[in-house]
Amino acid sequence: MNALIDHRLRRSWTSEAADAARLPARAAKWLEQRIGQTAPGAAPAGDLPVEIPSPKLDESAAAALSEVVGAENVLVDDVARLARATGLSYLDLLRRRSPTADFPVPDAVVLPADPDEVQAVLDVCVKHDVGVVPFGGGTSVVGGVAALRGDKASVIALDLVRLDALVSVDAESRLAVLQAGVRGPEAERLLGEHGLTLGHIPQSFERATIGGFAATRSAGQASSGYGRFEDMVKGVRLATPRGEWKLGVAPASAAGPDLRQLAVGSEGTLGVITEVSLRVRPAPPVKRYEGYALPSWDAGREAVRDLAQNHALADVTRLSDGDETEVSLALNAGLKTAALRKYLAARGVARPCFLIVGWEGTAHDVALRRRETTRRLKASGAVRVGKALGESWRHGRFAGPRQRDVLMDQGICVETLETAAYWSTVDELRDDVRAAITASLGRSIVMCHISHAYETGASLYFTVLTARDEADPVGQWQRAKAAACEAITGLGTISHHHAVGVDHAPYLKAEIGSLGVEVLRAAKSAVDPTGILNPGKLVQGR
């Protein structure tokens, strides 16, 4: 069963894929000119023998869990436990690279085979007072799968990798039920056999799971066309310490508050999602992606707002600021940079902001929608770069985690954060976050792009590059992230799609109020009275 999980501990993605993102010498030199000299670390090699404590799972609890899932599906070896100890944030990867890493590790990894076994595992953990951390693809970047134990003597990682089935398809209603452990590519393959697609493609797509998408209110890159993940969820099945909970019986309902939306986004604190009923759509026969350049951030932001408020957004609409565009030009060996700069300069665009737009659907639908989008972009002063830029982005859109591994090997601190705000405060939010990060880190590159647009506002996604402080690399980013979160508070949401986890929990009260925190705690008390589910996440304390 260990073979089902990639156990490479130093990198976020496989080393083979990371090699494909090797940093060219010219790019390394360009980065050094921008952020200063870095100190490359040792070359990564296999599983790092990080010292971890011995498992503390009580023998009677271990025996009861083995009776439920089989002894071969209760893993206590160091590699299996360490592989499910953290997510994939920059700090997670830093800690994994250190032989003296100090972070919580689960006492066991439990691999149930179906929803009934998940419920039985929770029943055992309630009886023995064992903490439970649900684990899907392990792609959280906010501490969402950290093996915290709270007040429990022991904690298990409940890995849902064996819940990997397409349960049913209702083609007439365009509904599909998928188990929580199905990963993004497999979900598309299974649905594709029925001529259908989910259309949910976040950057974590290759590893993240259906259950993880639901638990964190994920937003895919094509959410302007397909919707956010919570828009797709029509029903959900959860295992809870109080018993099984099923929600969703109709396409719409006025039978009180929509409790599906309480379960979606609950981050494993109110139950373990085992199945999700999802709205699906016919697989698109045509996919067209193009690139445009705007002469400034202001012009680009206004162009995207115009598209959003006139219902002319492409399925993918992504605007990079000048810094992100510059980095893209410097690091993307596939682009003919000199020729592109000359082409844009001749059209009055000296420091471009790239805009990626993509449409998916039938040939007629794509042509119709593209016509209106491009008409408005032309009126906004956008210069068409062409399909090459759009296709370059589409084919490289999952490269971020691999590039991060390579940059970390070069001694670079590289991390992301995101937020969202109404159009009237988007620029203030961008300026304040950039200023806060720069003040904390000093010489650095702070890139930003609009990742998702709405009629009323947009999401801002920041990527930060700076030379790693080898004396205190963890504290270096912790201080910068705290400064950014303080800048966000009061202007935007603390998270548009990364979720709350541990990192954002201190800022949740400012967003939803003390009463809102009490409501969440009351809900948790109702379904998890002894507090075994994902201790320390979402709402601090019980």
Short mmCIF file of all heavy atoms in Angstrom, two decimals, residues 427-471:
data_model
loop_
_atom_site.label_atom_id
_atom_site.label_comp_id
_atom_site.label_asym_id
_atom_site.label_seq_id
_atom_site.Cartn_x
_atom_site.Cartn_y
_atom_site.Cartn_z
N ASP A 427 -6.80 47.54 -5.66
CA ASP A 427 -5.49 48.18 -5.80
C ASP A 427 -4.87 48.51 -4.45
O ASP A 427 -3.65 48.34 -4.26
CB ASP A 427 -5.63 49.45 -6.64
CG ASP A 427 -5.73 49.15 -8.12
OD1 ASP A 427 -5.54 47.99 -8.51
OD2 ASP A 427 -6.01 50.09 -8.90
N GLU A 428 -5.68 48.99 -3.53
CA GLU A 428 -5.16 49.29 -2.18
C GLU A 428 -4.64 48.02 -1.53
O GLU A 428 -3.57 48.02 -0.90
CB GLU A 428 -6.26 49.92 -1.33
CG GLU A 428 -5.80 50.30 0.07
CD GLU A 428 -6.92 50.86 0.93
OE1 GLU A 428 -8.07 50.95 0.44
OE2 GLU A 428 -6.65 51.20 2.11
N LEU A 429 -5.38 46.94 -1.69
CA LEU A 429 -4.96 45.66 -1.12
C LEU A 429 -3.64 45.20 -1.73
O LEU A 429 -2.72 44.79 -1.02
CB LEU A 429 -6.06 44.63 -1.34
CG LEU A 429 -5.79 43.20 -0.84
CD1 LEU A 429 -5.56 43.19 0.66
CD2 LEU A 429 -6.96 42.29 -1.21
N ARG A 430 -3.55 45.27 -3.04
CA ARG A 430 -2.31 44.86 -3.71
C ARG A 430 -1.13 45.69 -3.23
O ARG A 430 -0.05 45.15 -2.89
CB ARG A 430 -2.47 44.99 -5.22
CG ARG A 430 -1.20 44.74 -6.02
CD ARG A 430 -1.48 44.80 -7.52
NE ARG A 430 -0.24 44.73 -8.29
CZ ARG A 430 0.43 45.78 -8.73
NH1 ARG A 430 -0.01 47.02 -8.47
NH2 ARG A 430 1.54 45.64 -9.43
N ASP A 431 -1.31 46.99 -3.18
CA ASP A 431 -0.21 47.88 -2.76
C ASP A 431 0.20 47.60 -1.32
O ASP A 431 1.40 47.56 -1.00
CB ASP A 431 -0.63 49.33 -2.91
CG ASP A 431 -0.79 49.76 -4.36
OD1 ASP A 431 -0.33 49.02 -5.26
OD2 ASP A 431 -1.40 50.83 -4.60
N ASP A 432 -0.77 47.43 -0.43
CA ASP A 432 -0.47 47.22 0.99
C ASP A 432 0.24 45.90 1.23
O ASP A 432 1.17 45.81 2.05
CB ASP A 432 -1.75 47.30 1.82
CG ASP A 432 -2.27 48.73 1.96
OD1 ASP A 432 -1.66 49.65 1.39
OD2 ASP A 432 -3.32 48.91 2.63
N VAL A 433 -0.19 44.85 0.55
CA VAL A 433 0.44 43.54 0.75
C VAL A 433 1.86 43.57 0.21
O VAL A 433 2.80 43.08 0.85
CB VAL A 433 -0.39 42.43 0.07
CG1 VAL A 433 0.37 41.10 0.07
CG2 VAL A 433 -1.73 42.26 0.78
N ARG A 434 2.04 44.13 -0.96
CA ARG A 434 3.39 44.23 -1.54
C ARG A 434 4.32 45.03 -0.63
O ARG A 434 5.47 44.65 -0.40
CB ARG A 434 3.32 44.87 -2.91
CG ARG A 434 2.80 43.96 -4.01
CD ARG A 434 2.38 44.74 -5.26
NE ARG A 434 3.45 45.58 -5.77
CZ ARG A 434 4.36 45.18 -6.66
NH1 ARG A 434 4.31 43.95 -7.13
NH2 ARG A 434 5.30 46.01 -7.08
N ALA A 435 3.81 46.13 -0.09
CA ALA A 435 4.63 46.97 0.78
C ALA A 435 4.99 46.24 2.07
O ALA A 435 6.12 46.33 2.56
CB ALA A 435 3.88 48.27 1.11
N ALA A 436 4.03 45.51 2.63
CA ALA A 436 4.28 44.78 3.89
C ALA A 436 5.33 43.70 3.70
O ALA A 436 6.23 43.53 4.53
CB ALA A 436 2.97 44.17 4.39
N ILE A 437 5.24 42.96 2.60
CA ILE A 437 6.20 41.88 2.34
C ILE A 437 7.58 42.46 2.09
O ILE A 437 8.60 41.97 2.62
CB ILE A 437 5.74 41.02 1.16
CG1 ILE A 437 4.45 40.28 1.51
CG2 ILE A 437 6.82 40.03 0.74
CD1 ILE A 437 3.82 39.54 0.35
N THR A 438 7.65 43.52 1.29
CA THR A 438 8.94 44.13 0.97
C THR A 438 9.60 44.71 2.21
O THR A 438 10.82 44.59 2.40
CB THR A 438 8.76 45.22 -0.10
OG1 THR A 438 8.17 44.65 -1.27
CG2 THR A 438 10.10 45.85 -0.47
N ALA A 439 8.80 45.33 3.06
CA ALA A 439 9.35 45.89 4.31
C ALA A 439 9.92 44.79 5.20
O ALA A 439 10.92 45.00 5.90
CB ALA A 439 8.27 46.67 5.05
N SER A 440 9.32 43.62 5.17
CA SER A 440 9.78 42.53 6.00
C SER A 440 11.01 41.84 5.42
O SER A 440 11.96 41.54 6.14
CB SER A 440 8.65 41.50 6.18
OG SER A 440 9.10 40.37 6.91
N LEU A 441 11.01 41.61 4.11
CA LEU A 441 12.07 40.81 3.50
C LEU A 441 13.22 41.63 2.95
O LEU A 441 14.32 41.11 2.75
CB LEU A 441 11.49 39.98 2.35
CG LEU A 441 10.49 38.88 2.73
CD1 LEU A 441 9.96 38.21 1.47
CD2 LEU A 441 11.14 37.86 3.64
N GLY A 442 12.98 42.91 2.65
CA GLY A 442 14.02 43.69 2.01
C GLY A 442 14.07 43.38 0.52
O GLY A 442 13.03 43.31 -0.14
N ARG A 443 15.26 43.16 0.00
CA ARG A 443 15.43 42.94 -1.44
C ARG A 443 14.69 41.67 -1.87
O ARG A 443 15.03 40.55 -1.44
CB ARG A 443 16.91 42.82 -1.75
CG ARG A 443 17.24 42.92 -3.23
CD ARG A 443 18.74 42.95 -3.40
NE ARG A 443 19.12 42.97 -4.81
CZ ARG A 443 20.38 42.91 -5.24
NH1 ARG A 443 21.38 42.86 -4.34
NH2 ARG A 443 20.65 42.92 -6.52
N SER A 444 13.69 41.83 -2.71
CA SER A 444 12.85 40.69 -3.08
C SER A 444 12.04 41.04 -4.33
O SER A 444 12.00 42.20 -4.76
CB SER A 444 11.89 40.33 -1.94
OG SER A 444 11.11 41.45 -1.56
N ILE A 445 11.42 40.03 -4.91
CA ILE A 445 10.46 40.22 -5.99
C ILE A 445 9.10 39.79 -5.46
O ILE A 445 8.94 38.67 -4.98
CB ILE A 445 10.82 39.37 -7.23
CG1 ILE A 445 12.24 39.67 -7.72
CG2 ILE A 445 9.81 39.60 -8.35
CD1 ILE A 445 12.70 38.75 -8.84
N VAL A 446 8.14 40.69 -5.52
CA VAL A 446 6.78 40.38 -5.08
C VAL A 446 5.87 40.49 -6.30
O VAL A 446 5.56 41.59 -6.75
CB VAL A 446 6.31 41.33 -3.96
CG1 VAL A 446 4.92 40.92 -3.48
CG2 VAL A 446 7.30 41.30 -2.79
N MET A 447 5.49 39.35 -6.83
CA MET A 447 4.65 39.30 -8.03
C MET A 447 3.18 39.15 -7.64
O MET A 447 2.87 38.63 -6.58
CB MET A 447 5.06 38.11 -8.90
CG MET A 447 6.47 38.15 -9.40
SD MET A 447 6.97 36.57 -10.13
CE MET A 447 7.59 35.71 -8.67
N CYS A 448 2.31 39.57 -8.53
CA CYS A 448 0.88 39.47 -8.26
C CYS A 448 0.12 39.21 -9.56
O CYS A 448 0.51 39.72 -10.61
CB CYS A 448 0.38 40.76 -7.61
SG CYS A 448 -1.38 40.76 -7.21
N HIS A 449 -0.93 38.40 -9.46
CA HIS A 449 -1.83 38.28 -10.59
C HIS A 449 -3.27 38.14 -10.11
O HIS A 449 -3.53 37.71 -8.99
CB HIS A 449 -1.46 37.11 -11.52
CG HIS A 449 -1.63 35.74 -10.94
ND1 HIS A 449 -0.57 34.99 -10.47
CD2 HIS A 449 -2.73 34.96 -10.76
CE1 HIS A 449 -1.01 33.82 -10.05
NE2 HIS A 449 -2.33 33.77 -10.21
N ILE A 450 -4.19 38.56 -10.95
CA ILE A 450 -5.61 38.30 -10.72
C ILE A 450 -5.85 36.87 -11.21
O ILE A 450 -5.71 36.57 -12.39
CB ILE A 450 -6.50 39.29 -11.49
CG1 ILE A 450 -6.41 40.68 -10.84
CG2 ILE A 450 -7.95 38.81 -11.52
CD1 ILE A 450 -7.22 41.75 -11.56
N SER A 451 -6.19 36.00 -10.27
CA SER A 451 -6.37 34.59 -10.62
C SER A 451 -7.81 34.25 -10.92
O SER A 451 -8.09 33.31 -11.68
CB SER A 451 -5.86 33.69 -9.48
OG SER A 451 -6.57 33.95 -8.28
N HIS A 452 -8.75 34.96 -10.31
CA HIS A 452 -10.18 34.73 -10.51
C HIS A 452 -10.88 36.08 -10.46
O HIS A 452 -10.55 36.92 -9.62
CB HIS A 452 -10.74 33.82 -9.41
CG HIS A 452 -10.02 32.50 -9.29
ND1 HIS A 452 -8.81 32.39 -8.65
CD2 HIS A 452 -10.35 31.27 -9.72
CE1 HIS A 452 -8.42 31.12 -8.70
NE2 HIS A 452 -9.33 30.42 -9.34
N ALA A 453 -11.83 36.27 -11.35
CA ALA A 453 -12.55 37.55 -11.40
C ALA A 453 -14.05 37.32 -11.25
O ALA A 453 -14.59 36.31 -11.70
CB ALA A 453 -12.25 38.26 -12.72
N TYR A 454 -14.69 38.29 -10.62
CA TYR A 454 -16.12 38.24 -10.38
C TYR A 454 -16.72 39.59 -10.74
O TYR A 454 -16.00 40.58 -10.89
CB TYR A 454 -16.40 37.92 -8.90
CG TYR A 454 -15.71 36.68 -8.40
CD1 TYR A 454 -14.44 36.75 -7.81
CD2 TYR A 454 -16.30 35.43 -8.53
CE1 TYR A 454 -13.79 35.62 -7.36
CE2 TYR A 454 -15.66 34.29 -8.07
CZ TYR A 454 -14.41 34.38 -7.49
OH TYR A 454 -13.77 33.24 -7.05
N GLU A 455 -18.02 39.64 -10.81
CA GLU A 455 -18.68 40.90 -11.12
C GLU A 455 -18.35 41.97 -10.09
O GLU A 455 -18.24 43.16 -10.40
CB GLU A 455 -20.19 40.68 -11.20
CG GLU A 455 -20.96 41.85 -11.76
CD GLU A 455 -22.42 41.52 -12.01
OE1 GLU A 455 -22.79 40.33 -11.94
OE2 GLU A 455 -23.19 42.45 -12.29
N THR A 456 -18.16 41.56 -8.84
CA THR A 456 -17.95 42.52 -7.75
C THR A 456 -16.50 42.67 -7.31
O THR A 456 -16.19 43.58 -6.54
CB THR A 456 -18.79 42.10 -6.53
OG1 THR A 456 -18.44 40.75 -6.18
CG2 THR A 456 -20.27 42.18 -6.84
N GLY A 457 -15.62 41.81 -7.76
CA GLY A 457 -14.24 41.90 -7.29
C GLY A 457 -13.35 40.83 -7.89
O GLY A 457 -13.70 40.19 -8.88
N ALA A 458 -12.19 40.62 -7.28
CA ALA A 458 -11.22 39.68 -7.84
C ALA A 458 -10.33 39.11 -6.76
O ALA A 458 -10.18 39.67 -5.67
CB ALA A 458 -10.36 40.39 -8.89
N SER A 459 -9.73 37.98 -7.10
CA SER A 459 -8.73 37.36 -6.24
C SER A 459 -7.34 37.81 -6.66
O SER A 459 -7.03 37.88 -7.85
CB SER A 459 -8.82 35.83 -6.33
OG SER A 459 -7.69 35.22 -5.73
N LEU A 460 -6.50 38.12 -5.69
CA LEU A 460 -5.11 38.48 -5.94
C LEU A 460 -4.21 37.36 -5.42
O LEU A 460 -4.35 36.94 -4.27
CB LEU A 460 -4.74 39.79 -5.23
CG LEU A 460 -5.50 41.04 -5.67
CD1 LEU A 460 -5.04 42.24 -4.85
CD2 LEU A 460 -5.30 41.31 -7.15
N TYR A 461 -3.30 36.91 -6.27
CA TYR A 461 -2.41 35.81 -5.92
C TYR A 461 -0.98 36.32 -6.00
O TYR A 461 -0.53 36.79 -7.06
CB TYR A 461 -2.62 34.66 -6.92
CG TYR A 461 -1.99 33.36 -6.52
CD1 TYR A 461 -2.75 32.36 -5.91
CD2 TYR A 461 -0.65 33.09 -6.77
CE1 TYR A 461 -2.20 31.14 -5.57
CE2 TYR A 461 -0.07 31.88 -6.42
CZ TYR A 461 -0.86 30.90 -5.83
OH TYR A 461 -0.30 29.69 -5.47
N PHE A 462 -0.27 36.25 -4.89
CA PHE A 462 1.08 36.79 -4.79
C PHE A 462 2.11 35.65 -4.78
O PHE A 462 1.90 34.62 -4.14
CB PHE A 462 1.25 37.60 -3.50
CG PHE A 462 0.37 38.82 -3.42
CD1 PHE A 462 -0.92 38.73 -2.91
CD2 PHE A 462 0.83 40.05 -3.85
CE1 PHE A 462 -1.73 39.84 -2.82
CE2 PHE A 462 0.03 41.17 -3.78
CZ PHE A 462 -1.26 41.07 -3.26
N THR A 463 3.21 35.87 -5.47
CA THR A 463 4.36 34.96 -5.42
C THR A 463 5.58 35.78 -5.03
O THR A 463 5.82 36.86 -5.59
CB THR A 463 4.61 34.29 -6.78
OG1 THR A 463 3.42 33.60 -7.18
CG2 THR A 463 5.75 33.30 -6.69
N VAL A 464 6.34 35.27 -4.06
CA VAL A 464 7.46 36.02 -3.49
C VAL A 464 8.76 35.26 -3.71
O VAL A 464 8.83 34.05 -3.49
CB VAL A 464 7.24 36.24 -1.98
CG1 VAL A 464 8.38 37.06 -1.38
CG2 VAL A 464 5.90 36.90 -1.71
N LEU A 465 9.78 35.98 -4.15
CA LEU A 465 11.13 35.43 -4.30
C LEU A 465 12.11 36.32 -3.55
O LEU A 465 12.11 37.54 -3.74
CB LEU A 465 11.54 35.37 -5.77
CG LEU A 465 10.71 34.52 -6.74
CD1 LEU A 465 11.20 34.73 -8.16
CD2 LEU A 465 10.76 33.06 -6.36
N THR A 466 12.95 35.70 -2.73
CA THR A 466 14.00 36.45 -2.05
C THR A 466 15.11 35.47 -1.68
O THR A 466 14.89 34.26 -1.64
CB THR A 466 13.47 37.17 -0.80
OG1 THR A 466 14.44 38.11 -0.34
CG2 THR A 466 13.16 36.20 0.32
N ALA A 467 16.29 36.00 -1.42
CA ALA A 467 17.38 35.12 -0.99
C ALA A 467 17.06 34.56 0.39
O ALA A 467 16.66 35.30 1.29
CB ALA A 467 18.69 35.90 -0.98
N ARG A 468 17.24 33.27 0.55
CA ARG A 468 16.91 32.64 1.82
C ARG A 468 17.88 33.07 2.91
O ARG A 468 19.09 33.11 2.72
CB ARG A 468 16.95 31.11 1.67
CG ARG A 468 16.51 30.35 2.92
CD ARG A 468 16.22 28.90 2.60
NE ARG A 468 17.38 28.18 2.12
CZ ARG A 468 17.39 27.41 1.05
NH1 ARG A 468 16.30 27.29 0.30
NH2 ARG A 468 18.49 26.77 0.67
N ASP A 469 17.34 33.40 4.07
CA ASP A 469 18.14 33.72 5.25
C ASP A 469 18.56 32.39 5.88
O ASP A 469 17.77 31.74 6.56
CB ASP A 469 17.29 34.54 6.23
CG ASP A 469 18.05 34.91 7.49
OD1 ASP A 469 19.18 34.41 7.69
OD2 ASP A 469 17.51 35.68 8.31
N GLU A 470 19.78 31.98 5.64
CA GLU A 470 20.21 30.67 6.11
C GLU A 470 20.28 30.59 7.62
O GLU A 470 20.22 29.49 8.19
CB GLU A 470 21.58 30.32 5.49
CG GLU A 470 21.56 30.19 3.98
CD GLU A 470 20.64 29.09 3.47
OE1 GLU A 470 20.29 28.19 4.26
OE2 GLU A 470 20.25 29.14 2.28
N ALA A 471 20.41 31.72 8.30
CA ALA A 471 20.47 31.71 9.76
C ALA A 471 19.09 31.45 10.38
O ALA A 471 18.99 30.80 11.42
CB ALA A 471 21.04 33.03 10.28
#
